[in-house]
Amino acid sequence: MIQETHLFKPFDKPLSLVTDAGVWNAPFELDLPDETLLNMYRDLVLSRLLDEQLGKLQRLGKTSFVAPNAGHEGAHVGVAYALRAGFDWLFPYYRDHGLVLALGVPLREVFGQTLATRADPNKGRQMPAHPGSGALNVFTAASPIASHLPPAVGAALSMKLRGTGQVAVATFGEGATSEGDFHAAMNFAGVQGAPIVFVCENNGYAISVALRKQSGSETIAAKAYAYGMPGYTVDGMDALACYYVMQDAVAHAREGRGPVLVELLVYRYGAHSSADDDSAYRPREEVAAWRRRDPLGRFRRFLEARGLWEEVQERGLRDELGRTLSAALAEAEAAGSVPTEWLFDDVYAEVPDTLLEQRESL
Amino acid sequence: MAQLNFVQAITHTLDFEMARDPRVVLLGEDVGKRGGVFLASQGLFDRYGPDRVIDTPLSEAAIVGAAVGMAAHGLRPVAEVQFSDYIYPGFDQLVSQAAKLRYRSGGQFFAPMVVRLPAGGGVKGGHHHSQNPETHFVHTPGLKVVYPSSPADAKGLLTTAIRDDDPVVFMEPKRLYRAFKEEVPDGEYAVPLGQARVRLEGDDVVLISYGGSVAETLMAAGALSEQGVSAHVLDLRSLLPWDKGAVLEAVARVGRVVLVSEAPKTAGFVSEIAATISEEILDTLLAPPARVTGFDTPYPYAQDRAYLPGVNRILRAVQGVLNY
């Protein structure tokens, strides 16, 4: 769709399809059914409410760590809806709860991971904000920045060599583009024409370090050029722009035309994590200005303009999602904490004698 | 049976496994038409094509990291890093991704991959073509580490490594690549990981080694034999897991042990063996365990042979434990 319009080229100003006022402003017709639009909005709101809920859990001392997602929801939903859930592979990073939720990872598992209960299919092995799902091909997140990018290229190569028709999508922040692994991955993907979409959720800050101290490049997307792949800069607060660009990028990769780099300009409303205080490095006016461009508000105004949404539905949705969140949290808590003995499982396919001995000494 | 040298045994095994299992792919710098810098994959590009013998960019992070993703997605990649000295740009991929994938995902994802590392000194390579970094890997839960010393073991252990469901660091003593030939089984031949091999039976002293130093250790045992000293030589073959049973049994029976490794001395792998012996069978010892190792220096160029634990240093250590 976007390819056909030829509107969207590398180095263009960030692509936006819906104005801040919620008006569809694209040179092509919207082709998503109302039901999909309503589901997208539901996922946007769910992610925001989850974020608030996780913050509360952290303040209550029920979890050790939270990486706020608020401000990234439009990017998350746009990316998720462009993928074939459970078929394509997602290589997420630590600020992707909204993305994995929209892809179908159950809330129960997200809470299970946050609380390290048996509801976590990853068995409570990592600190919160590191989701993963074997069932949905969500490659369990790892903390070392950009270290998941070379593996994502490897998986994409396997897809290509075996002709599976799958696509790998890897997400990361703009700070990750400074790591050697980013270069190694982009370079190898470019050489091999691997079916992968690199998605940079550029929120302008790597903890406290601003983009201008991270890269001398005008945009992150510009880096694609040197690796022989298309690069796009998108208004990441516009869920539909994210969706349509990702849809094209994923199609590009799936059709065997090689990798794509997509830069989604978002903003992190909260601090980097529950262990960070962003007031030391970000002016409050800047945060407020970005909040006025909120992806939820824009999408709501868009739905309202199309006659698909009213205040009464908003209240109903928030009530319903609140109940859904409470139920999933209760379920995750009821699953019970991860047993101490699990400490020794999954180091290897089989527990070796040395670990059996060490388990005895617990 | 065929008479093969070490590197021929590697090529033969890669060929055998690629023919057996279409999931097995090779990747690395120059592994394609060139056949690898040591010719370990010679002929395989012509036989299996560019989709299964993949020349990569000059990036160990890409090689090791891509292998992780290939493995997680269902292939059985065998990655070659030209020299173990160059693993460091890919070290994070080994430590943070390969070694921890199964654990961090609760077993949902895992990486059945092999990283082949030509290693060790004695080739006049200086410090960036001679090192023995096995301790880094052995200190990384989630990895398996293998370091064979002979062509037949190279086949048996590489076969097992490729079929293993966990990441295996497969170290190859490059100074032995073309040092000698031996009978290597033609067909199916797999040696389990974690089983030491008795290279020589003996009663007076136990010599334990692995990788390239097994050659010098056997030479020392030959010299001892001429002096009427009977050495029991154990080749560990794999370091993680390592054959604690065979080590403790032999050392408890004989009471004297010399541990030989060309890696730097401090916190080297043989120190772990010495500690285990001390913890578990101290009362059987007739002398403290002795270590003969490389030195705590960068690997030198001019003093290439002096760095290695040679026959004379091994013999001096044996005299020490015999005369204790």
Side-chain angles (χ1 to χ4, degrees), chain A residues 157 161 188 192, chain B residues 11 14-15 18-19 22-36 40-56 70 75 77-80 116:
Chain A
L157 272 178
L161 297 178
F188 198 14
Q192 287 284 339
Chain B
T11 312
L14 294 173
D15 189 7
M18 291 183 81
R23 297 173 303 170
V24 178
V25 300
L26 309 185
L27 71 161
E29 294 157 29
D30 303 302
V31 300
K33 284 184 180 167
R34 173 73 175 85
S41 54
Q42 193 171 37
L44 301 180
F45 181 86
D46 290 339
R47 190 160 307 157
Y48 298 101
D51 283 355
R52 293 186 65 196
V53 183
I54 303 165
D55 268 327
T56 65
M70 288 175 159
L75 294 176
V78 181
E80 177 178 294
R116 292 183 41 251

mmCIF file of all heavy atoms in Angstrom, chain A residues 157 161 188 192, chain B residues 11 14-15 18-19 22-36 40-56 70 75 77-80 116:
data_model
loop_
_atom_site.group_PDB
_atom_site.id
_atom_site.type_symbol
_atom_site.label_atom_id
_atom_site.label_comp_id
_atom_site.label_asym_id
_atom_site.label_seq_id
_atom_site.Cartn_x
_atom_site.Cartn_y
_atom_site.Cartn_z
ATOM 1 N N LEU A 157 17.934 -16.209 8.760
ATOM 2 C CA LEU A 157 18.669 -16.995 7.760
ATOM 3 C C LEU A 157 18.131 -18.416 7.682
ATOM 4 O O LEU A 157 17.997 -18.989 6.600
ATOM 5 C CB LEU A 157 20.156 -17.041 8.125
ATOM 6 C CG LEU A 157 21.002 -15.909 7.592
ATOM 7 C CD1 LEU A 157 22.447 -16.075 8.073
ATOM 8 C CD2 LEU A 157 20.960 -15.911 6.071
ATOM 9 N N LEU A 161 16.831 -20.151 4.387
ATOM 10 C CA LEU A 161 17.449 -21.377 3.868
ATOM 11 C C LEU A 161 16.425 -22.488 3.731
ATOM 12 O O LEU A 161 16.496 -23.308 2.824
ATOM 13 C CB LEU A 161 18.580 -21.837 4.799
ATOM 14 C CG LEU A 161 19.759 -20.888 4.940
ATOM 15 C CD1 LEU A 161 20.793 -21.421 5.926
ATOM 16 C CD2 LEU A 161 20.406 -20.659 3.576
ATOM 17 N N PHE A 188 25.338 -8.466 8.384
ATOM 18 C CA PHE A 188 25.143 -9.849 7.947
ATOM 19 C C PHE A 188 23.771 -9.988 7.268
ATOM 20 O O PHE A 188 23.634 -10.655 6.235
ATOM 21 C CB PHE A 188 25.268 -10.785 9.149
ATOM 22 C CG PHE A 188 25.517 -12.234 8.799
ATOM 23 C CD1 PHE A 188 25.904 -12.622 7.517
ATOM 24 C CD2 PHE A 188 25.391 -13.218 9.762
ATOM 25 C CE1 PHE A 188 26.146 -13.963 7.213
ATOM 26 C CE2 PHE A 188 25.629 -14.560 9.467
ATOM 27 C CZ PHE A 188 25.997 -14.932 8.191
ATOM 28 N N GLN A 192 23.167 -11.158 3.349
ATOM 29 C CA GLN A 192 22.424 -12.387 3.067
ATOM 30 C C GLN A 192 21.006 -12.135 2.559
ATOM 31 O O GLN A 192 20.310 -13.075 2.186
ATOM 32 C CB GLN A 192 22.346 -13.255 4.336
ATOM 33 C CG GLN A 192 23.665 -13.935 4.696
ATOM 34 C CD GLN A 192 23.960 -15.122 3.788
ATOM 35 O OE1 GLN A 192 23.060 -15.684 3.166
ATOM 36 N NE2 GLN A 192 25.230 -15.500 3.689
ATOM 37 N N THR B 11 37.190 -32.647 8.902
ATOM 38 C CA THR B 11 36.512 -32.538 7.604
ATOM 39 C C THR B 11 35.606 -33.744 7.367
ATOM 40 O O THR B 11 34.441 -33.607 6.975
ATOM 41 C CB THR B 11 37.554 -32.464 6.466
ATOM 42 O OG1 THR B 11 38.539 -31.493 6.808
ATOM 43 C CG2 THR B 11 36.898 -32.095 5.150
ATOM 44 N N LEU B 14 32.507 -33.511 9.618
ATOM 45 C CA LEU B 14 31.548 -32.504 9.140
ATOM 46 C C LEU B 14 30.787 -33.049 7.935
ATOM 47 O O LEU B 14 29.559 -32.929 7.842
ATOM 48 C CB LEU B 14 32.286 -31.202 8.773
ATOM 49 C CG LEU B 14 32.941 -30.442 9.934
ATOM 50 C CD1 LEU B 14 33.775 -29.268 9.385
ATOM 51 C CD2 LEU B 14 31.904 -29.929 10.928
ATOM 52 N N ASP B 15 31.519 -33.670 7.034
ATOM 53 C CA ASP B 15 30.913 -34.256 5.835
ATOM 54 C C ASP B 15 29.895 -35.330 6.229
ATOM 55 O O ASP B 15 28.750 -35.346 5.759
ATOM 56 C CB ASP B 15 32.034 -34.848 4.969
ATOM 57 C CG ASP B 15 31.544 -35.278 3.594
ATOM 58 O OD1 ASP B 15 30.378 -34.998 3.256
ATOM 59 O OD2 ASP B 15 32.338 -35.903 2.862
ATOM 60 N N MET B 18 26.827 -33.729 7.849
ATOM 61 C CA MET B 18 26.023 -32.956 6.892
ATOM 62 C C MET B 18 25.247 -33.886 5.968
ATOM 63 O O MET B 18 24.107 -33.589 5.594
ATOM 64 C CB MET B 18 26.922 -32.017 6.078
ATOM 65 C CG MET B 18 27.504 -30.892 6.921
ATOM 66 S SD MET B 18 28.494 -29.748 5.951
ATOM 67 C CE MET B 18 27.213 -28.709 5.230
ATOM 68 N N ALA B 19 25.861 -35.014 5.622
ATOM 69 C CA ALA B 19 25.166 -35.981 4.771
ATOM 70 C C ALA B 19 24.030 -36.649 5.539
ATOM 71 O O ALA B 19 22.969 -36.947 4.987
ATOM 72 C CB ALA B 19 26.157 -37.029 4.268
ATOM 73 N N PRO B 22 20.233 -32.911 7.257
ATOM 74 C CA PRO B 22 20.184 -31.681 6.452
ATOM 75 C C PRO B 22 20.124 -30.410 7.295
ATOM 76 O O PRO B 22 20.277 -29.311 6.766
ATOM 77 C CB PRO B 22 18.899 -31.841 5.629
ATOM 78 C CG PRO B 22 18.080 -32.852 6.360
ATOM 79 C CD PRO B 22 19.052 -33.758 7.068
ATOM 80 N N ARG B 23 19.911 -30.556 8.597
ATOM 81 C CA ARG B 23 19.878 -29.359 9.453
ATOM 82 C C ARG B 23 21.284 -28.850 9.770
ATOM 83 O O ARG B 23 21.437 -27.741 10.270
ATOM 84 C CB ARG B 23 19.168 -29.682 10.780
ATOM 85 C CG ARG B 23 17.704 -30.077 10.621
ATOM 86 C CD ARG B 23 17.142 -30.534 11.958
ATOM 87 N NE ARG B 23 17.928 -31.643 12.519
ATOM 88 C CZ ARG B 23 17.786 -32.110 13.754
ATOM 89 N NH1 ARG B 23 16.906 -31.566 14.580
ATOM 90 N NH2 ARG B 23 18.526 -33.115 14.184
ATOM 91 N N VAL B 24 22.293 -29.675 9.515
ATOM 92 C CA VAL B 24 23.657 -29.260 9.860
ATOM 93 C C VAL B 24 24.174 -28.297 8.796
ATOM 94 O O VAL B 24 24.191 -28.623 7.598
ATOM 95 C CB VAL B 24 24.601 -30.478 9.984
ATOM 96 C CG1 VAL B 24 26.023 -30.015 10.298
ATOM 97 C CG2 VAL B 24 24.100 -31.434 11.061
ATOM 98 N N VAL B 25 24.553 -27.097 9.228
ATOM 99 C CA VAL B 25 25.131 -26.099 8.317
ATOM 100 C C VAL B 25 26.437 -25.585 8.929
ATOM 101 O O VAL B 25 26.608 -25.603 10.144
ATOM 102 C CB VAL B 25 24.176 -24.903 8.064
ATOM 103 C CG1 VAL B 25 22.874 -25.365 7.437
ATOM 104 C CG2 VAL B 25 23.890 -24.138 9.355
ATOM 105 N N LEU B 26 27.338 -25.154 8.063
ATOM 106 C CA LEU B 26 28.603 -24.572 8.524
ATOM 107 C C LEU B 26 28.571 -23.075 8.259
ATOM 108 O O LEU B 26 28.035 -22.627 7.239
ATOM 109 C CB LEU B 26 29.788 -25.166 7.773
ATOM 110 C CG LEU B 26 29.899 -26.692 7.691
ATOM 111 C CD1 LEU B 26 31.228 -27.063 7.015
ATOM 112 C CD2 LEU B 26 29.796 -27.322 9.057
ATOM 113 N N LEU B 27 29.148 -22.304 9.161
ATOM 114 C CA LEU B 27 29.315 -20.884 8.880
ATOM 115 C C LEU B 27 30.599 -20.380 9.516
ATOM 116 O O LEU B 27 31.027 -20.885 10.551
ATOM 117 C CB LEU B 27 28.118 -20.059 9.342
ATOM 118 C CG LEU B 27 27.860 -19.847 10.835
ATOM 119 C CD1 LEU B 27 26.923 -18.647 11.030
ATOM 120 C CD2 LEU B 27 27.217 -21.076 11.467
ATOM 121 N N GLY B 28 31.195 -19.410 8.867
ATOM 122 C CA GLY B 28 32.431 -18.829 9.371
ATOM 123 C C GLY B 28 33.136 -18.069 8.269
ATOM 124 O O GLY B 28 32.686 -18.042 7.120
ATOM 125 N N GLU B 29 34.261 -17.449 8.642
ATOM 126 C CA GLU B 29 35.036 -16.713 7.655
ATOM 127 C C GLU B 29 35.839 -17.702 6.817
ATOM 128 O O GLU B 29 36.526 -18.568 7.369
ATOM 129 C CB GLU B 29 36.007 -15.755 8.356
ATOM 130 C CG GLU B 29 35.307 -14.649 9.122
ATOM 131 C CD GLU B 29 36.189 -14.086 10.227
ATOM 132 O OE1 GLU B 29 37.426 -14.108 10.087
ATOM 133 O OE2 GLU B 29 35.637 -13.626 11.240
ATOM 134 N N ASP B 30 35.724 -17.605 5.517
ATOM 135 C CA ASP B 30 36.525 -18.414 4.576
ATOM 136 C C ASP B 30 36.186 -19.900 4.580
ATOM 137 O O ASP B 30 36.942 -20.697 4.046
ATOM 138 C CB ASP B 30 38.034 -18.260 4.859
ATOM 139 C CG ASP B 30 38.490 -16.808 4.785
ATOM 140 O OD1 ASP B 30 38.306 -16.203 3.734
ATOM 141 O OD2 ASP B 30 39.003 -16.291 5.795
ATOM 142 N N VAL B 31 35.072 -20.285 5.197
ATOM 143 C CA VAL B 31 34.772 -21.721 5.249
ATOM 144 C C VAL B 31 34.274 -22.242 3.896
ATOM 145 O O VAL B 31 34.244 -23.445 3.670
ATOM 146 C CB VAL B 31 33.725 -22.075 6.333
ATOM 147 C CG1 VAL B 31 34.217 -21.665 7.709
ATOM 148 C CG2 VAL B 31 32.364 -21.455 6.030
ATOM 149 N N GLY B 32 33.890 -21.332 2.996
ATOM 150 C CA GLY B 32 33.324 -21.718 1.704
ATOM 151 C C GLY B 32 34.364 -22.244 0.729
ATOM 152 O O GLY B 32 35.009 -23.261 0.978
ATOM 153 N N LYS B 33 34.524 -21.535 -0.378
ATOM 154 C CA LYS B 33 35.430 -22.033 -1.419
ATOM 155 C C LYS B 33 36.845 -22.266 -0.893
ATOM 156 O O LYS B 33 37.524 -23.198 -1.311
ATOM 157 C CB LYS B 33 35.485 -21.034 -2.576
ATOM 158 C CG LYS B 33 34.248 -21.090 -3.451
ATOM 159 C CD LYS B 33 34.369 -20.161 -4.640
ATOM 160 C CE LYS B 33 33.103 -20.247 -5.496
ATOM 161 N NZ LYS B 33 33.020 -19.175 -6.487
ATOM 162 N N ARG B 34 37.263 -21.426 0.012
ATOM 163 C CA ARG B 34 38.614 -21.557 0.577
ATOM 164 C C ARG B 34 38.727 -22.828 1.403
ATOM 165 O O ARG B 34 39.811 -23.372 1.561
ATOM 166 C CB ARG B 34 38.922 -20.318 1.426
ATOM 167 C CG ARG B 34 40.217 -20.359 2.236
ATOM 168 C CD ARG B 34 41.437 -20.199 1.340
ATOM 169 N NE ARG B 34 42.667 -20.113 2.119
ATOM 170 C CZ ARG B 34 43.367 -21.159 2.570
ATOM 171 N NH1 ARG B 34 42.934 -22.377 2.343
ATOM 172 N NH2 ARG B 34 44.476 -20.969 3.267
ATOM 173 N N GLY B 35 37.606 -23.296 1.967
ATOM 174 C CA GLY B 35 37.643 -24.507 2.788
ATOM 175 C C GLY B 35 38.148 -24.268 4.200
ATOM 176 O O GLY B 35 38.541 -25.201 4.891
ATOM 177 N N GLY B 36 38.124 -23.004 4.629
ATOM 178 C CA GLY B 36 38.614 -22.673 5.970
ATOM 179 C C GLY B 36 40.099 -22.395 5.946
ATOM 180 O O GLY B 36 40.824 -22.947 5.118
ATOM 181 N N ALA B 40 39.669 -27.084 7.124
ATOM 182 C CA ALA B 40 38.819 -28.050 7.836
ATOM 183 C C ALA B 40 37.526 -28.330 7.074
ATOM 184 O O ALA B 40 36.897 -29.365 7.267
ATOM 185 C CB ALA B 40 38.502 -27.533 9.238
ATOM 186 N N SER B 41 37.092 -27.381 6.233
ATOM 187 C CA SER B 41 35.850 -27.612 5.482
ATOM 188 C C SER B 41 36.134 -27.776 3.982
ATOM 189 O O SER B 41 35.257 -27.558 3.144
ATOM 190 C CB SER B 41 34.860 -26.465 5.720
ATOM 191 O OG SER B 41 35.450 -25.213 5.439
ATOM 192 N N GLN B 42 37.347 -28.204 3.668
ATOM 193 C CA GLN B 42 37.736 -28.343 2.269
ATOM 194 C C GLN B 42 36.796 -29.305 1.519
ATOM 195 O O GLN B 42 36.529 -30.412 1.991
ATOM 196 C CB GLN B 42 39.162 -28.881 2.182
ATOM 197 C CG GLN B 42 39.762 -28.777 0.797
ATOM 198 C CD GLN B 42 41.249 -29.108 0.792
ATOM 199 O OE1 GLN B 42 41.691 -29.995 1.516
ATOM 200 N NE2 GLN B 42 42.014 -28.384 -0.003
ATOM 201 N N GLY B 43 36.293 -28.855 0.385
ATOM 202 C CA GLY B 43 35.444 -29.705 -0.441
ATOM 203 C C GLY B 43 33.967 -29.666 -0.075
ATOM 204 O O GLY B 43 33.117 -30.110 -0.851
ATOM 205 N N LEU B 44 33.648 -29.145 1.091
ATOM 206 C CA LEU B 44 32.251 -29.206 1.537
ATOM 207 C C LEU B 44 31.374 -28.176 0.841
ATOM 208 O O LEU B 44 30.181 -28.399 0.616
ATOM 209 C CB LEU B 44 32.178 -29.046 3.063
ATOM 210 C CG LEU B 44 32.959 -30.105 3.851
ATOM 211 C CD1 LEU B 44 32.831 -29.873 5.354
ATOM 212 C CD2 LEU B 44 32.476 -31.510 3.489
ATOM 213 N N PHE B 45 31.966 -27.034 0.461
ATOM 214 C CA PHE B 45 31.213 -26.018 -0.289
ATOM 215 C C PHE B 45 30.751 -26.603 -1.625
ATOM 216 O O PHE B 45 29.604 -26.446 -2.031
ATOM 217 C CB PHE B 45 32.093 -24.785 -0.508
ATOM 218 C CG PHE B 45 31.406 -23.674 -1.260
ATOM 219 C CD1 PHE B 45 30.635 -22.732 -0.595
ATOM 220 C CD2 PHE B 45 31.539 -23.563 -2.638
ATOM 221 C CE1 PHE B 45 30.006 -21.701 -1.276
ATOM 222 C CE2 PHE B 45 30.912 -22.537 -3.336
ATOM 223 C CZ PHE B 45 30.148 -21.606 -2.653
ATOM 224 N N ASP B 46 31.666 -27.307 -2.294
ATOM 225 C CA ASP B 46 31.300 -27.908 -3.583
ATOM 226 C C ASP B 46 30.229 -28.977 -3.403
ATOM 227 O O ASP B 46 29.359 -29.149 -4.248
ATOM 228 C CB ASP B 46 32.534 -28.526 -4.242
ATOM 229 C CG ASP B 46 33.506 -27.450 -4.717
ATOM 230 O OD1 ASP B 46 33.051 -26.304 -4.903
ATOM 231 O OD2 ASP B 46 34.700 -27.750 -4.863
ATOM 232 N N ARG B 47 30.303 -29.685 -2.292
ATOM 233 C CA ARG B 47 29.367 -30.789 -2.084
ATOM 234 C C ARG B 47 27.999 -30.295 -1.606
ATOM 235 O O ARG B 47 26.971 -30.837 -2.012
ATOM 236 C CB ARG B 47 29.947 -31.769 -1.073
ATOM 237 C CG ARG B 47 29.158 -33.070 -0.967
ATOM 238 C CD ARG B 47 29.997 -34.166 -0.348
ATOM 239 N NE ARG B 47 31.261 -34.320 -1.052
ATOM 240 C CZ ARG B 47 32.359 -34.859 -0.524
ATOM 241 N NH1 ARG B 47 32.352 -35.293 0.710
ATOM 242 N NH2 ARG B 47 33.458 -34.965 -1.230
ATOM 243 N N TYR B 48 27.968 -29.292 -0.751
ATOM 244 C CA TYR B 48 26.697 -28.912 -0.112
ATOM 245 C C TYR B 48 26.190 -27.522 -0.513
ATOM 246 O O TYR B 48 25.060 -27.171 -0.187
ATOM 247 C CB TYR B 48 26.823 -29.008 1.414
ATOM 248 C CG TYR B 48 27.122 -30.421 1.878
ATOM 249 C CD1 TYR B 48 28.416 -30.805 2.228
ATOM 250 C CD2 TYR B 48 26.114 -31.383 1.914
ATOM 251 C CE1 TYR B 48 28.693 -32.101 2.621
ATOM 252 C CE2 TYR B 48 26.382 -32.687 2.306
ATOM 253 C CZ TYR B 48 27.684 -33.044 2.659
ATOM 254 O OH TYR B 48 27.952 -34.331 3.041
ATOM 255 N N GLY B 49 27.018 -26.759 -1.174
ATOM 256 C CA GLY B 49 26.544 -25.481 -1.696
ATOM 257 C C GLY B 49 26.543 -24.348 -0.688
ATOM 258 O O GLY B 49 26.764 -24.554 0.509
ATOM 259 N N PRO B 50 26.282 -23.123 -1.193
ATOM 260 C CA PRO B 50 26.411 -21.927 -0.359
ATOM 261 C C PRO B 50 25.338 -21.789 0.714
ATOM 262 O O PRO B 50 25.499 -21.010 1.646
ATOM 263 C CB PRO B 50 26.295 -20.782 -1.379
ATOM 264 C CG PRO B 50 25.564 -21.376 -2.538
ATOM 265 C CD PRO B 50 25.934 -22.831 -2.582
ATOM 266 N N ASP B 51 24.241 -22.536 0.602
ATOM 267 C CA ASP B 51 23.222 -22.449 1.649
ATOM 268 C C ASP B 51 23.608 -23.221 2.902
ATOM 269 O O ASP B 51 23.085 -22.977 3.983
ATOM 270 C CB ASP B 51 21.883 -23.003 1.144
ATOM 271 C CG ASP B 51 21.163 -22.016 0.239
ATOM 272 O OD1 ASP B 51 21.674 -20.876 0.089
ATOM 273 O OD2 ASP B 51 20.114 -22.384 -0.312
ATOM 274 N N ARG B 52 24.521 -24.180 2.738
ATOM 275 C CA ARG B 52 24.888 -24.991 3.914
ATOM 276 C C ARG B 52 26.342 -24.802 4.319
ATOM 277 O O ARG B 52 26.753 -25.271 5.385
ATOM 278 C CB ARG B 52 24.591 -26.473 3.656
ATOM 279 C CG ARG B 52 23.092 -26.735 3.540
ATOM 280 C CD ARG B 52 22.779 -28.213 3.437
ATOM 281 N NE ARG B 52 23.140 -28.929 4.658
ATOM 282 C CZ ARG B 52 23.254 -30.246 4.719
ATOM 283 N NH1 ARG B 52 23.073 -30.980 3.637
ATOM 284 N NH2 ARG B 52 23.557 -30.829 5.857
ATOM 285 N N VAL B 53 27.107 -24.135 3.489
ATOM 286 C CA VAL B 53 28.484 -23.791 3.858
ATOM 287 C C VAL B 53 28.602 -22.285 3.609
ATOM 288 O O VAL B 53 28.826 -21.841 2.488
ATOM 289 C CB VAL B 53 29.508 -24.589 3.041
ATOM 290 C CG1 VAL B 53 30.925 -24.260 3.504
ATOM 291 C CG2 VAL B 53 29.244 -26.090 3.167
ATOM 292 N N ILE B 54 28.403 -21.534 4.668
ATOM 293 C CA ILE B 54 28.134 -20.102 4.541
ATOM 294 C C ILE B 54 29.363 -19.278 4.906
ATOM 295 O O ILE B 54 29.796 -19.264 6.063
ATOM 296 C CB ILE B 54 26.949 -19.707 5.456
ATOM 297 C CG1 ILE B 54 25.712 -20.548 5.094
ATOM 298 C CG2 ILE B 54 26.658 -18.212 5.350
ATOM 299 C CD1 ILE B 54 24.613 -20.507 6.149
ATOM 300 N N ASP B 55 29.901 -18.597 3.908
ATOM 301 C CA ASP B 55 30.958 -17.621 4.169
ATOM 302 C C ASP B 55 30.327 -16.397 4.816
ATOM 303 O O ASP B 55 29.403 -15.799 4.262
ATOM 304 C CB ASP B 55 31.608 -17.198 2.850
ATOM 305 C CG ASP B 55 32.818 -18.051 2.503
ATOM 306 O OD1 ASP B 55 33.522 -18.499 3.436
ATOM 307 O OD2 ASP B 55 33.050 -18.274 1.302
ATOM 308 N N THR B 56 30.829 -16.017 5.953
ATOM 309 C CA THR B 56 30.235 -14.889 6.677
ATOM 310 C C THR B 56 31.108 -13.650 6.542
ATOM 311 O O THR B 56 32.281 -13.745 6.189
ATOM 312 C CB THR B 56 30.142 -15.200 8.179
ATOM 313 O OG1 THR B 56 31.472 -15.329 8.698
ATOM 314 C CG2 THR B 56 29.366 -16.477 8.438
ATOM 315 N N MET B 70 20.047 -19.486 14.419
ATOM 316 C CA MET B 70 19.815 -20.647 13.543
ATOM 317 C C MET B 70 19.445 -21.869 14.379
ATOM 318 O O MET B 70 18.525 -22.614 14.049
ATOM 319 C CB MET B 70 21.087 -20.966 12.763
ATOM 320 C CG MET B 70 21.439 -19.981 11.672
ATOM 321 S SD MET B 70 23.061 -20.465 10.990
ATOM 322 C CE MET B 70 22.972 -19.662 9.404
ATOM 323 N N LEU B 75 17.989 -25.305 13.084
ATOM 324 C CA LEU B 75 19.160 -25.841 12.388
ATOM 325 C C LEU B 75 20.166 -26.376 13.408
ATOM 326 O O LEU B 75 19.989 -26.230 14.622
ATOM 327 C CB LEU B 75 19.812 -24.766 11.512
ATOM 328 C CG LEU B 75 18.983 -24.267 10.315
ATOM 329 C CD1 LEU B 75 19.720 -23.135 9.594
ATOM 330 C CD2 LEU B 75 18.672 -25.395 9.343
ATOM 331 N N PRO B 77 23.802 -25.568 13.523
ATOM 332 C CA PRO B 77 24.960 -24.870 12.963
ATOM 333 C C PRO B 77 26.278 -25.292 13.616
ATOM 334 O O PRO B 77 26.344 -25.544 14.817
ATOM 335 C CB PRO B 77 24.667 -23.402 13.271
ATOM 336 C CG PRO B 77 23.764 -23.439 14.453
ATOM 337 C CD PRO B 77 22.944 -24.692 14.334
ATOM 338 N N VAL B 78 27.297 -25.378 12.778
ATOM 339 C CA VAL B 78 28.666 -25.557 13.260
ATOM 340 C C VAL B 78 29.422 -24.312 12.818
ATOM 341 O O VAL B 78 29.652 -24.099 11.620
ATOM 342 C CB VAL B 78 29.326 -26.817 12.671
ATOM 343 C CG1 VAL B 78 30.742 -26.973 13.210
ATOM 344 C CG2 VAL B 78 28.483 -28.064 12.987
ATOM 345 N N ALA B 79 29.748 -23.475 13.771
ATOM 346 C CA ALA B 79 30.422 -22.217 13.476
ATOM 347 C C ALA B 79 31.924 -22.400 13.623
ATOM 348 O O ALA B 79 32.377 -23.101 14.524
ATOM 349 C CB ALA B 79 29.935 -21.124 14.430
ATOM 350 N N GLU B 80 32.672 -21.782 12.723
ATOM 351 C CA GLU B 80 34.129 -21.791 12.871
ATOM 352 C C GLU B 80 34.605 -20.376 13.146
ATOM 353 O O GLU B 80 34.288 -19.447 12.404
ATOM 354 C CB GLU B 80 34.803 -22.320 11.596
ATOM 355 C CG GLU B 80 36.332 -22.265 11.690
ATOM 356 C CD GLU B 80 37.037 -22.832 10.460
ATOM 357 O OE1 GLU B 80 36.914 -24.038 10.223
ATOM 358 O OE2 GLU B 80 37.689 -22.051 9.733
ATOM 359 N N ARG B 116 33.551 -24.183 16.694
ATOM 360 C CA ARG B 116 34.881 -24.781 16.561
ATOM 361 C C ARG B 116 35.953 -23.709 16.711
ATOM 362 O O ARG B 116 35.885 -22.658 16.061
ATOM 363 C CB ARG B 116 35.037 -25.469 15.194
ATOM 364 C CG ARG B 116 34.160 -26.720 15.016
ATOM 365 C CD ARG B 116 34.426 -27.403 13.671
ATOM 366 N NE ARG B 116 35.831 -27.411 13.368
ATOM 367 C CZ ARG B 116 36.405 -26.668 12.409
ATOM 368 N NH1 ARG B 116 35.685 -25.925 11.608
ATOM 369 N NH2 ARG B 116 37.695 -26.708 12.242
#
